[in-house]
Amino acid sequence: MGRIKICRIPGIALISVLTILFISSCSVRKWDETEMGTIRIVTNRNGQTLGYSTTSGVTLLVDKGYAFKDLNKNAELDIYEDWRLSADERAADLASRLSVEEIAGLMLYSAHQSIPSAGGRSGAAAYNGLPYAESGALPSDLSDAQIEFLTNDNLRHVLITSVESPEVAALWNNNAQALCEGIGFGIPANNSSDPRHGTIADAEFNAGAGGSISMWPGPLGMAATFDPSVVKNFGEIASVEYRALGISTALSPQVDLATEPRWGRVSGTFGEDPQLAADMARAYIEGFQTSYGEAEIVSGWGYNSVNTMVKHWPGGGSGEGGRDAHYAYGKYAVYPGDNLSGQLIPFVNGAFNLEGLTGMASAAMPYYTISYNQDTVYNENVGNSYSKFIINDLLRETYNYDGVVCTDWGVTHDVTAIDGFGSTPWGAESLTEAERHYKIIMAGVDQFGGNNDADPVIEAYNLGVAEFGEEVMRARIEQSAVRLLKNIFRVGLFENPYLDVEKTRNTVGNPDYMQAGFDAQLKSIVLLKNSNNVLPLDHNTTVYIPERYIPPIQSMFGGAATEGSWIDPINPDIARQYFNITDNPDEADVALVMISSPSPGSGYSRTDAQAGRNGYIPMSLHYGPYRAEFARDPSLAGGDPLESFINRTYKDKTVTASNTTDLNLVLDTYSKMKGKPVIVSVSISNPMIFSEFEYNSSAIVANFSVQDHAILEIISGKTEPSGLLPFQMPLNMKVVEEQYEDVPHDMECHVDTDGNTYDFGFGLSWSGVIRDERTVKYKK
């Protein structure tokens, strides 16, 4: 590349300097350096800002007056170290230099990591060989396991869950980046997060006050605004907050179509409509990935950019009977309407078709499901990550996607029970762990979610060498390395992965961001019923708000169930700001009942299986007992190494929702109010059957994960409702059983006592049924 020259830069220790081609003398210095503890910040005038740690062993190189980081400590300015070159050039150069072991590390994505790692879903970890509470470690210190996988397994993609505070997250990031910077080629950590901007229901909103992070409605609530600009604004704000936490990849958005109304992950989607979901996906990704002004490096990418990992290709919302593929009993996605192409619309027309400079979502995640009988080339029924047809032929070749493809978490682990959680090698159960990795790599996947261990990736590489030779396998994994490295280069992590803790403190959850999130919550609330214009309520109204029983809840992600408890369903201190509150229904003018939509259940019962039946039970959108007399028999798909039968029907079996107490609460309150109005506020996670209580309600307000404060703003009339339903509300369970899992808008809908149909796009304002440009654009 050129010859090395040693120059003394005023005020700087002796450092290595590369003179490119015929340059033989030191150029005018075009950079300045400041200290931030053990971090040095180097500002190149009209160039990129660098950050490096004095503990990592990295020094500076200077070329034509500009500073660069000597990440591999060879005293030469290598192509991958030169921030003037494109991300494509730099990624290709660095990938060519990496060993098989280093590429294997890049192909790993860590299991869930909390900061500090003191327990919870991610598990407790050791610090210097001791539990966190006994170790004397700081909350921002790296755990022993984190040091191990960053150092010895060369892992560089870390999934962060809970953090003690934004400041702790920033300090942890700096510690992790300093460690990575000192190893090998100095590849920085690309930290990631699942969605983390949800609401705390009883938290009070105070204009001008900050919080731990801005709070927004859930994805269904975003969809209920029918306004992609709200979602883009969320992405622009959330990306800045993510980067201030050290997070540069979002494991989102989830753009599966909610065409199967019983599915347990409907709440994470943008609803059932393909066009609305595509527009929301595009807006979300544009907001997260695009940097503007001084934050932009090139082509929309920059220091405010967050890579998005759109999920779940090719759509996970058509599981048979609503069952979820985290479990073997839900492994099959079915297509009775022959509508796989419709499931792809949010990806092809949205996530992969951006209007901005970043072009497309930089990463994609396939779902666990077996897309049953959709492989028309190799005729395999295997999980999507294992499917050459789904990944290589469909995603890569048909739709020209060349971003990173990362498996969902745990797809290579062994499964031991039909209802076991965390192991999902569907269709590849008979393979070894290394063989599973090999099959996934050869299907066109780049990365393994939830795997901290490089050994099976290296074993998979060796299997490929034995079959195809070293040259072929080296080219294959180097292809993945280039894709993975591009996403790290484009967001500026190679230049400066470090955070200013004070800036983090002032950024995350600042008042402006909190206000924007609260405004979005207000726009997401849907008024479904308002008989005799009972709403809005006057400030002098006396309101009875009955206590609510929260039954034990079993998370679909495993772990122990919560204990049942009686609660105040709304923060009474907030409620008193709006109305007179009484605990005596006889004194009340109206009642406000707070409930959640029926919990559909999982669709499988170990008790049923132990009784000699097949274990499959209905998933219900009813509160009360439901007998599945119209269920499909036989099932469309079935078969598992742990089962001796194929037919997964649950016909004529009966279930009751775990939260049937919510229905009882409405009916009991209706009785106590003796004809006075009952207002029902329902937090909705899935479509639901309204016929059980709608007659007993004067008004129904639907929300999708918002703060109590936002609900009261609507009920009190301080804000007019404008939200619209992001999916249909079915007439009954017969309609649900007979709809097609892969087809949207195919159910007969509930009609209330006021004559309104609870269809996709329905909502009321104070003036009546909303009909505006949104309902014209997004129609069935």
Side-chain angles (χ1 to χ4, degrees):
M1 281 209 45
R3 51 195 176 87
I4 303 297
K5 181 175 181 180
I6 306 299
C7 287
R8 287 195 178 277
I9 306 299
I12 303 296
L14 186 66
I15 60 175
S16 300
V17 178
L18 175 64
T19 54
I20 303 296
L21 299 176
F22 301 106
I23 298 174
S24 59
S25 61
C26 296
S27 302
V28 175
R29 175 172 158 174
K30 302 175 182 177
W31 54 277
D32 301 293
E33 184 171 286
T34 57
E35 295 184 4
M36 189 174 69
T38 60
I39 308 300
R40 298 293 181 266
I41 302 300
V42 178
T43 304
N44 282 296
R45 294 187 284 279
N46 298 315
Q48 297 305 313
T49 296
L50 313 179
Y52 69 98
S53 172
T54 58
T55 66
S56 70
V58 164
T59 56
L60 295 179
L61 303 170
V62 176
D63 176 54
K64 297 181 180 178
Y66 292 110
F68 304 83
K69 293 161 68 173
D70 186 12
L71 289 165
N72 61 359
K73 307 170 189 66
N74 67 349
E76 295 183 10
L77 181 58
D78 299 306
I79 290 174
Y80 88 93
E81 295 168 330
D82 190 341
W83 45 258
R84 296 167 298 191
L85 302 177
S86 71
D88 287 1
E89 292 174 280
R90 299 174 73 187
D93 175 68
L94 179 52
S96 71
R97 299 170 184 268
L98 299 179
S99 67
V100 170
E101 291 75 15
E102 288 165 324
I103 293 177
L106 274 181
M107 296 175 76
L108 304 178
Y109 223 122
S110 82
H112 300 73
Q113 305 294 311
S114 61
I115 302 172
S117 186
R121 180 180 169 194
S122 54
Y127 291 76
N128 296 316
L130 296 172
Y132 172 70
E134 302 172 16
S135 67
L138 297 174
S140 56
D141 287 346
L142 274 62
S143 70
D144 296 348
Q146 291 163 354
I147 294 171
E148 170 73 17
F149 64 59
L150 290 171
T151 304
N152 296 331
D153 289 293
N154 298 298
L155 183 149
R156 288 298 179 272
H157 294 80
V158 182
L159 174 55
I160 295 172
T161 56
S162 61
V163 298
E164 183 173 294
S165 69
E167 295 88 344
V168 166
L171 290 167
W172 182 92
N173 171 81
N174 290 352
N175 290 335
Q177 298 294 5
L179 175 64
C180 293
E181 191 174 71
I183 299 170
F185 290 90
I187 300 172
N190 181 1
N191 302 321
S192 69
S193 174
D194 281 313
R196 59 191 315 117
H197 282 82
T199 60
I200 301 171
D202 61 356
E204 183 174 3
F205 174 76
N206 290 309
S212 58
I213 197 165
S214 61
M215 292 190 285
W216 298 72
L220 282 177
M222 297 284 195
T225 70
F226 277 54
D227 184 353
S229 69
V230 172
V231 180
K232 186 175 183 181
N233 186 41
F234 163 70
E236 290 170 347
I237 288 173
S239 65
V240 173
E241 292 186 305
Y242 270 33
R243 293 303 298 266
L245 293 169
I247 295 167
S248 45
T249 294
L251 302 188
S252 56
Q254 182 188 333
V255 303
D256 314 85
L257 289 180
T259 49
E260 168 43 62
R262 294 163 290 189
W263 185 37
R265 301 192 70 177
V266 165
S267 64
T269 73
F270 291 126
E272 69 176 311
D273 185 74
Q275 183 184 355
L276 179 61
D279 289 351
M280 293 299 185
R282 185 185 308 107
Y284 188 108
I285 295 165
E286 298 268 22
F288 266 91
Q289 290 190 169
T290 307
S291 292
Y292 303 94
E294 293 182 355
E296 183 181 8
I297 297 173
V298 67
S299 299
W301 291 102
Y303 292 106
N304 286 342
S305 297
V306 171
N307 292 290
T308 58
M309 186 178 291
V310 63
K311 57 188 185 184
H312 304 87
W313 177 264
S318 64
E320 186 165 18
R323 296 183 297 272
D324 183 72
H326 277 87
Y327 300 89
Y329 58 70
K331 64 168 66 173
Y332 294 107
V334 295
Y335 303 87
D338 194 25
N339 194 37
L340 175 62
S341 60
Q343 298 286 317
L344 304 183
I345 289 173
F347 298 92
V348 177
N349 294 357
F352 304 157
N353 186 34
L354 305 184
E355 297 171 353
L357 294 175
T358 64
M360 64 176 63
S362 61
M365 180 189 293
Y367 204 41
Y368 299 114
T369 43
I370 294 171
S371 297
Y372 190 66
N373 286 349
Q374 298 305 297
D375 179 353
T376 57
V377 177
Y378 313 102
N379 297 312
E380 281 192 306
N381 276 315
V382 293
N384 292 317
S385 290
Y386 290 95
S387 173
K388 186 177 180 181
F389 173 77
I390 293 294
I391 304 302
N392 183 73
D393 294 19
L394 195 61
L395 178 60
R396 296 284 192 205
E397 294 183 357
T398 301
Y399 294 110
N400 300 311
Y401 184 73
D402 194 40
V404 168
V405 176
C406 176
T407 74
D408 213 328
W409 265 232
V411 302
T412 60
H413 300 164
D414 290 330
V415 61
T416 58
I418 199 76
D419 58 352
F421 176 79
S423 303
T424 53
W426 310 144
E429 291 92 341
S430 64
L431 302 182
T432 67
E433 189 173 7
E435 288 170 339
R436 291 172 191 155
H437 281 77
Y438 179 45
K439 185 172 180 62
I440 288 170
I441 290 170
M442 301 313 288
V445 174
D446 304 301
Q447 199 167 30
F448 298 92
N451 182 6
N452 298 353
D453 183 3
D455 287 345
V457 183
I458 296 169
E459 290 181 57
Y461 175 81
N462 291 331
L463 290 173
V465 170
E467 182 172 0
F468 294 110
E470 186 90 35
E471 184 177 354
V472 170
M473 280 310 293
R474 173 70 199 195
R476 171 62 194 89
I477 65 168
E478 200 169 304
Q479 180 185 45
S480 288
V482 169
R483 292 171 179 148
L484 291 159
L485 288 167
K486 278 170 61 176
N487 287 354
I488 305 177
F489 278 113
R490 291 191 292 201
V491 298
L493 289 175
F494 274 89
E495 276 58 71
N496 183 20
Y498 297 100
L499 300 173
D500 181 331
V501 176
E502 186 61 28
K503 183 177 179 181
T504 293
R505 181 181 295 112
N506 294 330
T507 298
V508 180
N510 72 50
D512 289 343
Y513 294 172
M514 298 296 287
Q515 181 69 59
F518 190 72
D519 290 345
Q521 292 179 50
L522 295 173
K523 292 179 180 179
S524 74
I525 295 172
V526 182
L527 179 61
L528 291 176
K529 185 178 182 181
N530 193 22
S531 294
N532 300 316
N533 294 320
V534 64
L535 295 179
L537 299 181
D538 183 82
H539 181 71
N540 295 319
T541 304
T542 300
V543 181
Y544 168 59
I545 306 176
E547 284 190 326
R548 179 182 175 218
Y549 179 72
I550 305 297
I553 298 173
Q554 177 67 61
S555 168
M556 68 174 291
F557 297 112
T562 61
E563 294 185 1
S565 61
W566 286 93
I567 65 165
D568 285 321
I570 196 166
N571 186 326
D573 292 332
I574 299 176
R576 291 189 190 98
Q577 297 175 24
Y578 290 86
F579 312 113
N580 301 317
I581 304 300
T582 180
D583 58 5
N584 183 353
D586 292 332
E587 297 176 353
D589 300 312
V590 300
L592 174 59
V593 184
M594 311 285 288
I595 62 173
S596 294
S597 55
S599 176
S602 68
Y604 187 84
S605 166
R606 184 175 293 188
T607 301
D608 186 83
Q610 291 170 342
R613 297 180 286 271
N614 70 357
Y616 292 85
I617 60 175
M619 296 179 70
S620 176
L621 303 180
H622 262 301
Y623 288 108
Y626 164 63
R627 178 173 170 266
E629 59 180 308
F630 300 103
R632 183 184 290 139
D633 186 11
S635 61
L636 291 177
D640 189 274
L642 297 175
E643 292 179 334
S644 59
F645 55 87
I646 300 296
N647 189 2
R648 293 181 163 191
T649 187
Y650 48 84
K651 184 176 175 62
D652 291 326
K653 294 181 181 179
T654 300
V655 294
T656 301
S658 61
N659 62 332
T660 189
T661 50
D662 278 354
L663 172 62
N664 297 336
L665 184 62
V666 176
L667 300 181
D668 181 60
T669 303
Y670 176 78
S671 177
K672 289 179 178 179
M673 290 301 290
K674 302 173 183 176
K676 292 182 288 188
V678 175
I679 300 163
V680 176
S681 173
V682 56
S683 178
I684 294 180
S685 299
N686 289 80
M688 58 185 288
I689 309 297
F690 275 90
S691 58
E692 293 176 289
F693 70 88
E694 180 264 315
Y695 171 82
N696 308 92
S697 310
S698 297
I700 300 175
V701 180
N703 78 84
F704 306 92
S705 301
V706 302
Q707 292 170 261
D708 296 343
H709 212 144
I711 297 168
L712 293 170
E713 285 281 302
I714 297 291
I715 291 173
S716 67
K718 293 183 181 297
T719 300
E720 185 167 14
S722 62
L724 304 169
L725 283 179
F727 43 50
Q728 296 179 310
M729 295 298 179
L731 174 64
N732 53 41
M733 281 303 298
K734 180 178 184 291
V735 166
V736 173
E737 295 288 6
E738 294 176 349
Q739 56 88 37
Y740 287 164
E741 286 92 335
D742 59 327
V743 176
H745 309 313
D746 63 342
M747 295 190 293
E748 184 179 358
C749 298
H750 176 78
V751 179
D752 70 15
T753 55
D754 292 337
N756 291 316
T757 302
Y758 293 1
D759 206 343
F760 169 78
F762 170 73
L764 299 172
S765 67
W766 301 141
S767 302
V769 177
I770 296 172
R771 294 182 176 89
D772 58 20
E773 66 279 0
R774 298 173 300 161
T775 60
V776 172
K777 180 177 182 179
Y778 299 107
K779 55 186 177 182
K780 295 190 299 180

